[in-house]
Amino acid sequence: MTSTVERAEDADTAAFQGLPQRRLFLPLFVFAYFGVALAAVSAPAVSIPLRLSELDPEHKTQMLSLTVAVGGVLVVLITAPLGRFSDASTARSGIRRPFILGGSLLGTVGMLVLALAPNIPVIMVGWILSQAGFASTNMALNALLADQIPARIRARVAAMFGLSTGIAPVIGSSLVGALPGDPLYWFGIPAAIALGASLGVVLVLKDIVRTRATPVDWRSLLRSYWINPLRHKDFAWAWVCRLLITMSLFTVITYLLYFLTDQLGIDSEDAPSAQGTVLGVYFVFSVVTTLVFGWVSDRTGRRKTIVWTSALLTALGLLISLFAHDLTSFCVGIALAGMGQGAFVSVDVAMMTELLPDLDSAGTGQAVIALSYQLPALIVPGLATLLLAIGDGGPNYIALFTAAVIASAAGGLAVLPIKNVR
């Protein structure tokens, strides 16, 4: 199940091209990504808001912001060192396998703590554990994209990742809405799916096993947070693009349930179902563009053009949703945003892996990439708290969604200076 790879230090062997994998690897690889996304996205988008509405309905938005921010801080702090430890690992089971399975086990424990939490402090403890575990699994899965997936099909595999991420909140919302009104189901079922999916890919993966130890000290751990933006300008611009686009979507998804109830006037009992409808529309319209533009990008080699146009389409869709007065018009805007995001996620991931300075340290590089979609969990709650507090008429969702539109448009513009990809 493993292959031993000795790394030479010369430039000719710096970029590892991957190991021949079993036929089941690719579908199980994508399913593992979906399973982890299901657990990690459905909790803050649906299950945690529902629990906070029960425990502290008066301060639910503030408590949601605080909970998400605390988890975001942890993920930002630990993902890059985890990538460094994974790259340097000499474990017999491989450099990625222990981080995939171990992370899923810890994430499952955290989800069970969330399900049984009697108060908000325990909710935060459970989310910290979940975030720590799933951050480890995500880091390793994303590193496998660079380790084991050839560049010629990487956009199509990234497209499947995008579909997995897109369908996860849809299924999560629908699943929670269909399950009995017991937090053990809300958190336990997604966690069980994530754990089972991670186990599946671990069993078939032909992982890299290193026989030469690489020293890891505090200096190397600090360096794992950093890729010099002056030396690697293209990567820096792509990173900023991903950060802004993720901030935009993270804002909408995190506060969607409250937007539907407080802004559109949907009853709390019907909100999870309405949220599932919105996310379902988003997913359906993103599917076609994800598959089409992943294929187009691989065939033509074009990455940048697709990324910036899709980001601007996302901004347009969110702008339409901003002025919606009912669920139908809101879904029209979300449909356009879904089309934009479908194209974006399939191509952006491939573009960023191709701009990595050193593919031989894919875990560390992917950890830096991960910061671009983890920092929003830290940045957005603080900004959202300020934006929601504007005015005296209750939570100001107009200000919040306006900021999301601006972030998406700015993300599209950020990719224009990139020179080394088309």
Side-chain angles (χ1 to χ4, degrees):
M1 295 175 65
T2 59
S3 296
T4 300
V5 176
E6 294 237 12
R7 302 297 183 117
E9 295 181 359
D10 55 76
D12 291 337
T13 57
F16 180 69
Q17 297 300 312
L19 298 169
Q21 297 291 335
R22 296 176 175 87
R23 290 183 179 180
L24 284 176
F25 168 72
L26 194 54
L28 290 176
F29 180 36
V30 174
F31 184 58
Y33 201 86
F34 161 76
V36 174
L38 177 68
V41 174
S42 66
V46 187
S47 304
I48 291 177
L50 288 174
R51 289 289 284 137
L52 293 176
S53 294
E54 294 175 350
L55 295 173
D56 191 356
E58 185 177 352
H59 303 99
K60 61 184 182 182
T61 57
Q62 296 94 323
M63 291 300 101
L64 178 60
S65 295
L66 180 60
T67 302
V68 172
V70 169
V73 170
L74 177 74
V75 170
V76 167
L77 290 176
I78 69 172
T79 298
L82 285 172
R84 178 70 68 179
F85 282 121
S86 180
D87 284 338
S89 174
T90 56
R92 291 185 178 181
S93 56
I95 63 173
R96 310 300 183 202
R97 185 179 284 113
F99 293 88
I100 295 173
L101 187 56
S104 292
L105 287 169
L106 180 59
T108 299
V109 170
M111 295 286 272
L112 293 177
V113 172
L114 284 165
L116 301 173
N119 53 49
I120 290 175
V122 179
I123 287 280
M124 292 185 182
V125 171
W127 187 231
I128 285 171
L129 292 174
S130 296
Q131 286 285 74
F134 294 133
S136 172
T137 305
N138 263 323
M139 175 280 300
L141 290 174
N142 279 292
L144 286 178
L145 185 65
D147 281 344
Q148 306 293 349
I149 305 300
R152 59 185 170 78
I153 63 167
R154 197 171 293 160
R156 278 168 281 183
V157 176
M160 298 306 298
F161 274 22
L163 286 177
S164 300
T165 304
I167 198 174
V170 180
I171 293 181
S173 296
S174 302
L175 185 63
V176 171
L179 289 170
D182 185 338
L184 194 59
Y185 288 101
W186 299 347
F187 294 99
I189 299 299
I193 294 172
L195 183 59
S198 297
L199 180 61
V201 75
V202 159
L203 290 175
V204 301
L205 170 65
K206 294 181 181 179
D207 203 359
I208 301 167
V209 176
R210 304 219 175 169
T211 59
R212 184 181 302 170
T214 302
V216 178
D217 55 23
W218 67 270
R219 289 186 181 86
S220 65
L221 290 178
L222 288 177
R223 287 196 300 271
S224 65
Y225 292 95
W226 180 255
I227 291 177
N228 192 321
L230 297 179
R231 292 180 56 193
H232 307 286
K233 293 180 181 179
D234 282 355
F235 179 84
W237 281 116
W239 190 93
V240 170
C241 171
R242 168 68 77 87
L243 174 72
L244 291 171
I245 298 297
T246 305
M247 285 180 62
S248 175
L249 269 294
F250 185 86
T251 299
V252 174
I253 289 174
T254 301
Y255 296 92
L256 176 59
L257 188 73
Y258 295 155
F259 183 92
L260 295 175
T261 57
D262 299 349
Q263 190 73 16
L264 297 185
I266 296 173
D267 291 338
S268 298
E269 301 82 31
D270 300 325
S273 177
Q275 184 179 40
T277 298
V278 171
L279 295 175
V281 169
Y282 172 89
F283 173 71
V284 167
F285 279 86
S286 70
V287 167
V288 175
T289 53
T290 298
L291 296 176
V292 169
F293 284 98
W295 180 83
V296 168
S297 181
D298 278 341
R299 292 283 292 181
T300 65
R302 291 192 176 274
R303 312 291 199 205
K304 184 174 74 171
T305 304
I306 297 173
V307 168
W308 72 261
T309 54
S310 62
L312 295 181
L313 180 59
T314 299
L316 175 62
L318 294 180
L319 184 63
I320 293 172
S321 297
L322 172 64
F323 294 102
H325 297 291
D326 55 39
L327 187 61
T328 300
S329 56
F330 186 82
C331 285
V332 170
I334 290 298
L336 289 176
M339 291 174 66
Q341 277 299 290
F344 177 84
V345 297
S346 65
V347 180
D348 174 69
V349 173
M351 182 177 72
M352 293 201 75
T353 59
E354 291 172 9
L355 293 174
L356 280 173
D358 181 11
L359 286 177
D360 196 48
S361 299
T364 303
Q366 289 287 355
V368 176
I369 292 176
L371 290 175
S372 66
Y373 56 84
Q374 291 167 348
L375 281 173
L378 175 60
I379 298 170
V380 166
L383 291 176
T385 299
L386 296 175
L387 293 168
L388 290 167
I390 295 174
D392 300 321
N396 192 333
Y397 294 102
I398 299 299
L400 185 66
F401 270 55
T402 299
V405 171
I406 293 171
S408 184
L413 298 176
V415 80
L416 295 179
I418 294 175
K419 297 178 180 179
N420 289 328
V421 295
R422 290 188 294 162

